[in-house]
């Protein structure tokens, strides 16, 4: 796991960055989702992996023996996933509305659609 | 007294919930919006008073002691920011009554503004890095919705850039939080400030510092990460762009100051301050050059936000007590002046029917008082004495001279001249030159004249309040300077902060 997870995180970052550089809006959304996952896995890995020793105090004992798995990174990730989920839902709705309103999903074509008024009266 | 700390978050949250429970009562929404922000102003003044007399206050959420639970802290700096946020909240709540149309108010405009304020206040209060991330997201999601609330086609392009870049910055923030936690085993800012200097494995410290700098750099719109700002701030409703212009980027600046004074000190990551120095010079120049080329009123002002952020970053880069004090004064001055300019641009738009400076003209002949009102924040922004901007800029530049940063200081002075130039450009185009649309005189100001007297007062009132603030804080500059100096000394001595939060036990 110590080797595998960093490789996976690297791949996820590479995929995410590749995807958000694409012109298609759908791919940009996927890219953002993947980048979020990469960050979450990164917290998980950097917060030190400890296998098979959860942070529970055994019955009758007064404390737990080191090393035990730190539960805090998992709590952080859980929060980040929930927040990310909500924001991704909004992003998808926004992108869909944009697509319907501007009749394109090519980001390169969205360069001058924000003119509030035409130049000449 | 400590329990008061939660109020700046609780008040807007409760207000938003009550508004959501009464979805059709727009009059109640308006009233509650003003009342809640008034209450916020009172609370922030009380907090400021008690911090000045009794030192830094902290609240341990749920009774969990400092490094383990979520801590909320107010020091003088947070108090100043809270006070400015409630001032802008209050004026925006009044301005919205005059300017926002009923359809948007039915679409929960007022509750969203309250939630935005809650996110901003939470970010100013928190003493925990992950909690800061959560408040950023609260603030972002409200700002996303406010940005496209009208649902006009021209709003989407800017919104997509804004949303994408901010989500990217959130992902970077998360990664940085993970790295920092992996190294130090804590996310409490006070605890981190004590632990980082004695850390054994510090290889990743610079990586985390740079990642934080990028994250907050995106939020604060510094060079070269600012492109979302001029792309999105000119399309939403003007009350929304005003509150964004006043507060959102300043939250990013707040985070940069908090992180690179209290947590990452000059000793632990010295290279950050070199980077900040270059970034600040480029931010000042690119912002103001962008502004010079613009004719869309709000786009012009948006570029100025970036240029002004440069001065604040410059102050952080020097990091002497005088510089930080100057930076804080600059933030205070800029929040008031910038928001005011956006309010006034909204009034100009209502009178002339256009955002484009080429199609506006002759306003001084018909509305001379509006012209004078515009001059106050415009000249303050350019740094003309005796307005607030002059003193703030003087303090920053003096600190720069003391630190012998000749190049950056000369850039700052050049940028001042260009700022003055583009303020004069707005003045010439909108107020002095003849009206280019002389043919259809009947069209002019129709929207404005149709407004009821109450709505007109709601539009002009906030602009007068903020203009008064700019004038008063320029004429009675001394108390402001003493306040900022106290805050900067507190910021630069991380020991005070840590002691107040953890009680001195690492």
């Amino acid at each position: 796991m110590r080797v595998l997870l960093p490789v996976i995180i690297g791949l996820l970052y590479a995929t995410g960055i590749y995807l958000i550089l694409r012109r298609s809006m759908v791919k940009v959304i996927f890219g953002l989702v993947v980048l979020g996952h990469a960050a979450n896995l990164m917290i998980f890995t950097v917060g030190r992996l400890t296998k098979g020793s959860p942070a529970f105090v055994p019955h009758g004992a007064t404390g737990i023996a080191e090393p035990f798995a730190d539960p805090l990174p998992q709590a952080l990730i859980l929060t980040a996933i929930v927040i990310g989920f909500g924001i991704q839902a909004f992003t998808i709705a926004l992108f869909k509305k944009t697509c319907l309103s501007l009749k394109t999903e090519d980001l390169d074509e969205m360069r001058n659609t924000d003119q509030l008024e035409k130049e000449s009266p | 007294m400590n329990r008061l700390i939660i109020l700046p978050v609780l008040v807007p949250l409760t207000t938003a919930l009550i508004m959501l429970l009464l979805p059709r009562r727009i009059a109640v929404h308006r009233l509650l919006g003003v009342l809640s922000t008034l209450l916020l102003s009172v609370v922030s003044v009380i907090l400021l008073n008690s911090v000045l007399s009794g030192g830094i206050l902290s609240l341990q959420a749920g009774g969990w002691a400092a490094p383990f639970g979520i801590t909320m802290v107010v020091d003088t700096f947070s108090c100043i920011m809270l006070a400015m946020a409630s001032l802008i909240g209050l004026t925006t709540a009044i301005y919205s009554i005059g300017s926002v149309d009923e359809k948007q108010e039915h679409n929960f405009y007022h509750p969203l503004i309250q939630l935005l304020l809650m996110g901003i206040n939470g970010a100013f209060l928190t003493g925990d890095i992950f909690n800061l991330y959560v408040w950023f997201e609260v603030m972002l999601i409200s700002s996303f919705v406010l940005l496209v609330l009208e649902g006009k086609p021209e709003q989407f392009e800017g919104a997509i850039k804004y949303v994408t870049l901010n989500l990217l910055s959130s992902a970077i923030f998360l990664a940085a939080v993970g790295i920092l936690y992996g190294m130090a085993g804590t996310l409490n800012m006070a605890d981190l400030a004590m632990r980082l200097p004695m850390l054994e494995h510090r290889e990743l410290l610079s990586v985390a510092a740079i990642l934080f700098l990028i994250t907050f750099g995106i939020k604060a719109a510094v060079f070269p990460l600012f492109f979302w700002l001029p792309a999105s701030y000119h399309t939403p409703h003007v009350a929304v762009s005003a509150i964004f212009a006043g507060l959102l980027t300043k939250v990013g600046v707040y985070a940069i100051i908090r992180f690179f004074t209290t947590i990452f000190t000059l000793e632990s990551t010295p290279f950050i301050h070199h980077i900040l120095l270059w970034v600040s010079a480029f931010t000042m120049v690119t912002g103001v050059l962008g502004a010079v080329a613009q004719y869309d009123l709000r786009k012009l002002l948006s570029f100025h936000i970036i240029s002004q952020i440069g001065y604040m970053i410059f102050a952080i880069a020097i990091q002497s007590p005088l510089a930080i004090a100057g930076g804080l004064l600059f933030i205070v001055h800029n929040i008031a002046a910038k928001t005011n300019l956006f309010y006034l641009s909204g009034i100009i738009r209502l009178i002339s029917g256009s955002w484009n400076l080429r199609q506006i003209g002759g306003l001084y002949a018909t509305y001379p008082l509006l012209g004078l009102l515009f001059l106050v924040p415009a000249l303050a922004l350019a740094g003309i004495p005796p307005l607030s901007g002059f003193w703030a800029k003087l303090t920053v530049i003096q600190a720069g001279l003391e630190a012998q940063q000749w190049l950056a200081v000369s850039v700052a002075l050049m940028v001042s001249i260009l700022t003055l130039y583009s303020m004069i450009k707005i003045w010439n185009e909108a107020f002095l030159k003849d009206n280019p649309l002389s043919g259809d005189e009947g069209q002019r100001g129709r929207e404005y004249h149709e407004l009821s007297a109450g709505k007109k007062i709601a539009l002009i009132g906030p602009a007068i309040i903020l203009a008064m603030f700019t004038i008063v804080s320029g004429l009675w500059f001394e108390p402001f300077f003493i306040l900022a100096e106290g805050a900067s000394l507190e910021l630069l001595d991380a020991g005070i902060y840590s002691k107040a939060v953890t009680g001195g036990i690492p």
Side-chain angles (χ1 to χ4, degrees):
Chain A
M1 286 299 268
R2 275 174 195 282
V3 182
L4 189 61
L5 269 178
V7 173
I8 291 177
I9 295 169
L11 279 177
L12 282 176
Y13 268 114
T15 319
I17 289 167
Y18 176 70
L19 282 174
I20 57 168
L21 295 176
R22 302 298 300 273
R23 282 160 55 187
S24 154
M25 290 205 297
V26 180
K27 284 170 187 156
V28 171
I29 294 181
F30 281 134
L32 289 171
V33 174
V34 170
L35 276 180
H37 291 329
N40 288 338
L41 267 183
M42 171 117 137
I43 299 181
F44 183 61
T45 317
V46 182
R48 291 200 195 92
L49 293 173
T50 316
K51 220 176 136 193
S53 51
F56 293 130
V57 181
H59 190 70
T62 51
I64 12 173
E66 300 264 353
F68 57 90
D70 189 351
L72 193 86
Q74 295 163 36
L76 299 184
I77 295 167
L78 195 62
T79 318
I81 289 176
V82 174
I83 293 175
F85 187 71
I87 290 193
Q88 281 152 18
F90 173 82
T91 317
I92 292 171
L94 171 72
F95 280 42
K96 178 176 177 245
K97 190 91 185 23
T98 309
C99 217
L100 292 176
S101 168
L102 301 180
K103 310 265 183 309
T104 174
E105 66 115 38
D106 186 342
L107 288 171
D108 269 6
E109 283 175 28
M110 267 177 239
R111 285 201 173 150
N112 284 309
T113 63
D114 62 341
Q115 302 298 319
L116 289 171
E117 286 131 10
K118 299 290 162 280
E119 274 295 299
S120 54
Chain B
M1 190 47 94
N2 278 12
R3 302 196 174 207
L4 273 184
I5 297 178
I6 197 73
L7 277 184
V9 173
L10 211 56
V11 169
L13 177 65
T14 326
T15 318
L17 287 179
I18 297 173
M19 287 174 176
L20 289 176
L21 289 174
L22 303 165
R24 296 277 150 239
R25 303 276 188 81
I26 296 307
V28 179
H29 283 198
R30 291 173 178 169
L31 183 68
L32 277 178
V34 176
L35 285 181
S36 132
T37 43
L38 259 181
L39 187 59
L40 274 181
S41 318
V42 174
V43 168
S44 54
V45 170
I46 294 175
L47 279 176
L48 183 60
N49 247 329
S50 58
V51 167
L52 285 182
S53 58
I56 299 172
L57 296 174
S58 67
L59 175 80
Q60 315 293 346
W64 293 92
F68 306 109
I70 290 170
T71 315
M72 307 199 99
V73 194
V74 274
D75 57 357
T76 319
F77 179 34
S78 325
C79 275
I80 297 173
M81 298 304 285
L82 281 176
M84 288 317 288
S86 34
L87 177 66
I88 299 304
L90 177 62
T91 46
T92 305
I94 301 172
Y95 189 81
S96 308
I97 297 173
S99 70
V100 179
D101 57 53
E102 246 175 60
K103 188 164 165 273
Q104 285 180 67
E105 290 183 301
H106 279 290
N107 283 337
F108 304 114
Y109 169 82
H110 293 288
L112 282 165
I113 289 281
Q114 294 296 321
L115 292 174
L116 182 75
L117 281 174
M118 175 177 89
I120 292 168
N121 286 348
F124 291 152
L125 282 176
T126 186
D128 182 278
I129 298 182
F130 192 76
N131 201 233
L132 182 67
Y133 164 77
V134 176
W135 288 122
F136 268 159
E137 298 301 296
V138 171
M139 184 179 91
L140 281 182
I141 191 82
S142 337
S143 67
F144 291 166
V145 182
L146 282 170
L147 205 55
V148 288
L149 197 63
E150 286 175 299
K152 290 182 184 160
E154 61 266 16
Q155 292 178 333
F156 290 117
E157 181 185 327
I160 283 191
K161 290 170 185 165
Y162 180 84
V163 169
T164 313
L165 280 173
N166 273 299
L167 290 186
L168 196 61
S169 114
S170 299
I172 298 171
F173 194 172
L174 268 183
V177 166
I179 293 174
L180 202 59
Y181 183 77
M183 270 191 313
T186 178
L187 288 175
N188 187 299
M189 292 180 191
D191 202 23
L192 272 172
M194 285 191 292
R195 284 192 194 202
L196 284 189
M198 33 191 178
L199 217 58
E200 278 175 35
H201 305 283
R202 43 196 317 127
E203 303 81 20
L204 284 173
L205 197 62
S206 16
V207 178
I210 287 285
L211 286 180
F212 279 123
L213 186 63
I214 293 173
T215 307
F216 301 138
I218 293 178
K219 309 258 186 228
V222 301
F223 177 87
L225 308 163
F226 62 76
F227 295 98
W228 57 269
L229 193 147
S232 59
Y233 273 24
H234 65 295
T235 53
H237 193 276
V238 64
V240 175
S241 17
I243 195 169
F244 281 14
L247 295 177
L248 288 197
T249 45
K250 310 309 178 290
V251 180
V253 176
Y254 167 86
I256 293 182
I257 296 185
R258 178 67 77 205
F259 270 65
F260 297 106
T261 57
T262 311
I263 302 173
F264 298 101
T265 50
L266 209 51
E267 293 83 49
S268 64
T269 47
F271 60 93
I272 289 282
H273 299 276
H274 295 295
I275 298 177
L276 281 177
L277 198 62
W278 284 103
V279 161
S280 73
F282 277 109
T283 310
M284 286 187 254
V285 174
T286 42
V288 87
L289 289 184
V292 166
Q294 297 300 323
Y295 271 87
D296 181 310
L297 193 47
R298 278 196 287 177
K299 232 176 182 167
L300 197 160
L301 292 174
S302 306
F303 272 106
H304 270 297
I305 302 177
I306 299 164
S307 162
Q308 309 291 317
I309 295 286
Y311 286 91
M312 303 168 198
I313 305 293
F314 177 48
I316 306 168
I318 300 170
Q319 211 168 73
S320 62
L322 186 67
I324 299 284
L328 299 189
L329 288 169
F330 207 94
I331 296 176
V332 169
H333 135 74
N334 193 249
I335 289 178
K338 197 86 240 177
T339 316
N340 201 358
L341 283 173
F342 272 89
Y343 289 159
L344 290 166
S345 76
I347 299 173
I348 293 176
R349 157 78 174 74
L350 277 177
I351 292 174
S352 64
S354 174
W355 290 112
N356 193 329
L357 283 175
R358 290 195 181 93
Q359 298 174 27
I360 311 173
L363 288 180
Y364 189 67
T366 34
Y367 300 93
L369 285 179
L370 182 69
L372 290 181
L373 203 55
F374 172 83
L375 272 187
V376 173
L379 292 182
L381 208 65
I384 304 291
L387 298 163
S388 60
F390 168 71
W391 300 106
K393 215 169 257 186
L394 182 71
T395 319
V396 172
I397 283 174
Q398 196 187 341
L401 290 178
E402 278 176 15
Q404 304 186 329
Q405 299 293 348
W406 315 119
L407 185 68
V409 166
S410 43
V411 168
L413 290 171
M414 281 298 295
V415 169
S416 280
I417 295 173
L418 286 173
T419 310
L420 185 61
Y421 162 73
S422 55
M423 287 301 138
I424 291 175
K425 176 169 125 185
I426 300 183
W427 174 258
N428 279 343
E429 293 278 342
F431 290 94
L432 277 190
K433 122 189 135 187
D434 290 335
N435 181 17
L437 305 176
S438 51
D440 43 342
E441 196 66 41
Q443 288 288 320
R444 278 182 64 81
R446 210 183 37 153
E447 261 183 276
Y448 185 72
H449 286 301
E450 280 171 3
L451 292 175
S452 63
K455 285 206 164 191
K456 277 184 194 165
I457 293 172
L459 284 173
I460 294 284
I464 294 177
I465 296 174
L466 290 183
M468 289 306 288
F469 179 83
T470 303
I471 294 172
V472 168
S473 63
L475 292 180
W476 282 274
F477 173 66
E478 201 182 341
F480 287 87
F481 183 77
I482 293 170
L483 195 63
E485 208 181 18
S488 85
L489 290 175
E490 217 171 71
L491 275 170
L492 289 172
D493 188 348
I496 304 179
Y497 185 83
S498 307
K499 214 171 203 167
V501 175
T502 60
I505 312 142

